[in-house]
Amino acid sequence: MTDLAPFIAGLPKAELHLHIEGSLEPELMFELAQRNQVAIPYASVEEVRAAYAFSNLQDFLDIYYAGADVLRTRADFHDLAMAYFVRAAADGVIHAEIMFDPQTHTDRGIAFADVIEGLLSAMSMAEAELGLTSSLILSFLRHLSEEAAFATLEAAQPWIDRIAAVGLDSSEVGHPPEKFARVFAAARAQGLKITAHAGEEGPPEYVHQALDLLQTDRIDHGNRALEDPALVARLAAEGMTLTVCPLSNLKLCVVDDLVDHPLDRMLALGLKATVNSDDPAYFGGYVAENYRAVAEARGLTRNDLVTLARNSFTGSFLPPEAVAANLAKLEAYAAM
Ligand code: ADE
Ligand code: ZN
């Protein structure tokens, strides 16, 4: 088999499913712990990496929320995001739609302003210095209450024009989309796009609810939709983008082995799948490594890879002119 890694690294692509807190590398975690005088329960970077063995989503979330405790200042959020943008640009990402979890920080006494202003300053710098455009997805933590989600939407109001979408993440099972129908309706009324994690660990019913009750523009993950043929047909007919995360699925035991990953089955069923890294510092690879690993495990062709990158642009929340400009870059690359 030819080595697809160079082709993948140069392939213009968008990343649509990335939690910025999940891009906190152990090295930066240590640096910020020292800068902010925060104690962390690890003696070395190696010890941190050794702790990243998960048997399900909750296992991971417990460690991920603990790691985020080192993030304290506007400069920390700037440095976190800038480190991600540098890695993403090296992976051929020309547009990124990054999720952030304000409640993880505001519940620790960090000002919403410090979180978002740090991210926004890195986003401006990434565009100026790396030519990488980006937008923000404010994600509500679904293990918390509807009331807390409303308070977060309220706190976001001064920056609402700088936020592209709202999302729904954290512990899925037991926290169905219906719990947040009203806050998503309020966000939609403000012109925000809608996405939600659904069908990662939760049943196909949660994907139905995300579509019907949240009126999503995208579904994050969506793996378990494959258990419901009528749902698959609906997702295909609606052209609903799925933001699939192969290495995350492997690390969180959504699949036992990448050779069993359903990505190409999704494409064959007419689903608009994309490839993303989710929480790259925790799952062992940024977006290009996700493309490469799943391509190798599933025998994907160059055409498949171009289809996945095309889906990443058409599934983005960019305006049509920007989508067209990014697609033109992709088609020029694919024709080389
Ligand atoms: N938060 C960060 N990564 C997540 C994932 N894969 N699922 C749900 N919540 C998350
Ligand atoms: Zn996610």
Side-chain angles (χ1 to χ4, degrees):
M1 187 178 133
T2 55
D3 179 12
L4 287 169
F7 180 76
I8 289 168
L11 184 68
K13 59 181 77 65
E15 176 145 58
L16 305 181
H17 185 158
L18 176 282
H19 302 265
I20 199 66
E21 295 89 349
S23 72
L24 176 62
E25 290 287 343
E27 289 79 4
L28 184 59
M29 190 190 293
F30 266 77
E31 192 181 318
L32 297 183
Q34 213 159 41
R35 192 199 279 181
N36 296 322
Q37 299 291 297
V38 178
I40 53 173
Y42 308 105
S44 66
V45 162
E46 292 70 35
E47 211 176 294
V48 184
R49 289 216 160 84
Y52 293 174
F54 315 112
S55 41
N56 55 43
L57 174 59
Q58 193 60 50
D59 260 9
F60 154 70
L61 289 171
D62 292 343
I63 287 194
Y64 160 85
Y65 294 130
D69 189 38
V70 301
L71 296 161
R72 298 288 172 101
T73 69
R74 202 170 285 211
D76 298 342
F77 288 95
H78 173 99
D79 292 351
L80 172 72
M82 207 55 217
Y84 163 70
F85 288 131
V86 168
R87 302 279 302 244
D91 275 4
V93 173
I94 59 174
H95 177 68
E97 303 195 342
I98 63 175
M99 293 184 229
F100 71 117
D101 291 340
Q103 289 157 294
T104 300
H105 314 300
T106 53
D107 285 2
R108 298 182 289 117
I110 312 296
F112 190 102
D114 288 336
V115 179
I116 196 165
E117 289 294 345
L119 297 176
L120 288 169
S121 73
M123 291 164 68
S124 300
M125 187 181 273
E127 184 159 7
E129 296 185 2
L130 303 167
L132 192 162
T133 61
S134 58
S135 46
L136 281 177
I137 302 173
L138 182 164
S139 286
F140 301 114
L141 297 182
R142 69 200 303 159
H143 68 275
L144 301 178
S145 67
E146 179 199 42
E147 188 187 359
F150 267 113
T152 303
L153 185 60
E154 184 60 33
Q157 289 307 307
W159 296 274
I160 209 70
D161 294 344
R162 308 296 313 272
I163 295 171
V166 290
L168 186 64
D169 63 3
S170 191
S171 319
E172 186 181 7
V173 174
H175 302 285
E178 65 181 341
K179 181 176 162 186
F180 298 96
R182 291 184 295 196
V183 71
F184 275 76
R188 211 170 45 250
Q190 290 204 289
L192 297 175
K193 299 280 191 185
I194 306 290
T195 187
H197 285 54
E200 181 184 20
E201 286 189 344
E205 168 59 16
Y206 286 19
V207 181
H208 280 290
Q209 283 190 15
L211 298 172
D212 292 332
L213 304 180
L214 307 187
Q215 297 186 30
T216 52
D217 298 289
R218 288 201 297 250
I219 294 287
D220 296 315
H221 296 294
N223 300 49
R224 290 195 58 193
L226 296 178
E227 296 168 23
D228 179 342
L231 177 57
V232 169
R234 177 182 179 186
L235 291 166
E238 291 183 8
M240 184 63 53
T241 298
L242 303 183
T243 65
V244 181
C245 305
L247 290 175
S248 165
N249 292 160
L250 179 65
K251 286 291 172 12
L252 300 185
C253 306
V254 169
V255 296
D256 292 332
D257 195 306
L258 267 193
V259 300
D260 302 319
H261 196 279
L263 182 67
D264 49 298
R265 194 150 57 90
M266 289 170 162
L267 292 177
L269 288 165
L271 295 173
K272 219 171 114 182
T274 60
V275 168
N276 307 273
S277 69
D278 205 2
D279 301 283
Y282 292 87
F283 299 150
Y286 285 74
V287 69
E289 181 56 19
N290 274 269
Y291 273 80
R292 199 204 58 72
V294 75
E296 182 177 296
R298 295 296 309 164
L300 302 188
T301 63
R302 277 188 182 222
N303 272 344
D304 295 327
L305 299 170
V306 171
T307 297
L308 291 162
R310 195 178 289 126
N311 291 348
S312 76
F313 293 126
T314 58
S316 74
F317 294 145
L318 285 170
E321 323 77 68
V323 171
N326 286 335
L327 284 174
K329 289 181 193 163
L330 170 64
E331 303 306 343
Y333 180 83
M336 282 198 308

